[in-house]
């Protein structure tokens, strides 16, 4: 379980997170949603130790992550923007990441096959399309078989077939008992994969629960309208 206690983050005068308390249960898929600038990336990066909270604590398997780093070996992270070195080939990058993580990788051959990346293995990253880069990004994330997976906008740039493959992959990982945290602007995708929604608004958790609970709370017939109704209220 990941426990977030009183998480608070300020950048200068900008209060981004204003006391977020959340327990993320094991083996669940949780979607972190909210309008642009609501602090989703800041929240995720706090869990990863890439952002230092101004106040509060994050407890991973009963231990605070403050001044810890080993726990990060248990997390596979897909960043929103992957800045790959343009001069490396896909194969070279895969090998470099394996060396860097010094962790036994799962079957990356199966991932190459799943996303049909074979023809690109010897191509330079700088010459790949955005969608192919995202498939490489996904491969590098799912290659290590860690118990926690954090995906920041995983669908970005994917063609319909790759999107189906990604959903299959997430489903397989869930069945293996992984805990998965996702941010996405694509409501259909969230609806298909998430067990629970956490909606951030003005630095706090506005809603936490299932999609059907959200529809009930907002009195809306479908998920998209439920989210839209929160956003229109907050912009009003
Ligand atoms: P989201 O992922 O929901 O779009 P972010 O966490 O990226 O939100 O950003 C929340 C707010 O924090 C924004 O106003 C953004 O400008 C600000 N912010 C994010 N990172 C930094 C940073 N490193 N320095 C200063 N401000 C930041």
């Amino acid at each position: 379980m990941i426990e977030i206690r009183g998480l608070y983050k300020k950048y200068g005068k900008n209060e981004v997170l204003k006391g977020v308390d959340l327990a993320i249960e094991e083996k669940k898929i949780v979607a972190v949603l909210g309008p642009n600038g609501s602090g989703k990336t800041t929240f995720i990066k706090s869990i990863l130790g890439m952002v230092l909270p101004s106040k509060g604590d994050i407890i991973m398997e009963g231990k605070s992550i403050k001044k810890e780093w080993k726990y990060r070996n248990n997390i596979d992270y897909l960043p929103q923007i992957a800045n790959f070195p343009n001069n490396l080939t896909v194969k070279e990058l895969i090998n470099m990441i394996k060396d860097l993580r010094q962790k036994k990788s799962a079957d990356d051959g199966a991932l190459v096959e799943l996303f049909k990346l074979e023809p690109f293995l010897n191509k330079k990253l700088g010459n790949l399309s955005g969608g192919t880069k995202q498939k490489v990004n996904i491969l590098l994330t799912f290659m290590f078989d860690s118990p926690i997976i954090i995906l920041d906008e995983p669908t970005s740039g994917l063609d319909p077939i790759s999107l189906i493959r990604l959903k299959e992959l997430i489903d397989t990982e869930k069945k293996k008992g992984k805990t998965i945290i996702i941010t996405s602007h694509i409501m259909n995708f969230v609806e298909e994969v998430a067990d629970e929604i956490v909606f951030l608004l003005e630095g706090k958790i506005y809603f936490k629960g299932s999609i059907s609970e959200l529809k009930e709370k907002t009195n809306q017939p479908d998920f998209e309208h439920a989210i839209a109704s929160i956003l229109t209220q907050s912009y009003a």
Side-chain angles (χ1 to χ4, degrees), residues 44-45 48 50 75-80 101 141 150 152:
I44 280 177
K45 287 191 173 171
L48 289 159
M50 293 163 73
I75 306 178
D76 292 333
Y77 168 53
L78 178 107
Q80 194 171 349
R101 281 204 67 172
T141 305
I150 299 182
D152 199 352

Side-chain angles (χ1 to χ4, degrees), residues 115-235:
F115 288 102
K116 299 280 172 270
L117 283 168
E118 178 72 40
F120 301 99
L121 287 178
N122 292 314
K123 293 231 157 77
K124 288 197 169 157
L125 287 146
N127 297 334
L128 301 184
S129 71
T132 307
K133 273 189 196 161
Q134 181 66 353
K135 291 187 226 170
V136 173
N137 200 10
I138 292 171
L139 179 143
L140 296 173
T141 305
F142 284 89
M143 208 166 71
F144 293 100
D145 205 18
S146 303
I148 301 169
I149 303 170
I150 299 182
L151 307 171
D152 199 352
E153 294 289 347
T155 64
S156 152
L158 293 183
D159 58 71
I161 296 189
S162 305
L163 187 58
I164 293 173
R165 297 289 175 260
L166 174 68
K167 286 188 264 193
E168 287 169 358
L169 191 56
I170 290 175
D171 197 45
T172 312
E173 295 304 300
K174 187 190 167 171
K175 287 191 178 123
K176 284 193 211 160
K178 308 278 178 93
T179 306
I180 306 176
I181 303 170
I182 301 179
T183 75
S184 175
H185 280 103
I186 313 299
M187 291 304 120
N188 283 342
F189 173 75
V190 172
E191 198 165 13
E192 275 183 61
V193 300
D195 298 310
E196 192 166 73
I197 306 296
V198 172
F199 196 92
L200 290 179
L201 197 60
E202 286 156 17
K204 296 210 159 170
I205 295 180
Y206 175 87
F207 172 84
K208 174 183 183 279
S210 68
I211 290 175
S212 53
E213 284 163 347
L214 181 72
K215 287 194 270 196
E216 216 168 282
K217 179 175 166 146
T218 53
N219 207 11
Q220 294 293 329
D222 58 65
F223 182 44
E224 217 158 30
H225 283 90
I227 295 289
S229 84
I230 304 176
L231 293 175
T232 26
Q233 273 172 37
S234 72
Y235 282 128

Side-chain angles (χ1 to χ4, degrees), residues 11-12 14 16 34-43 51 80 152 185 200:
Y11 292 107
N14 185 6
V16 178
N36 293 335
S38 59
K40 301 179 295 291
T41 304
T42 303
F43 175 78
V51 158
Q80 194 171 349
D152 199 352
H185 280 103
L200 290 179

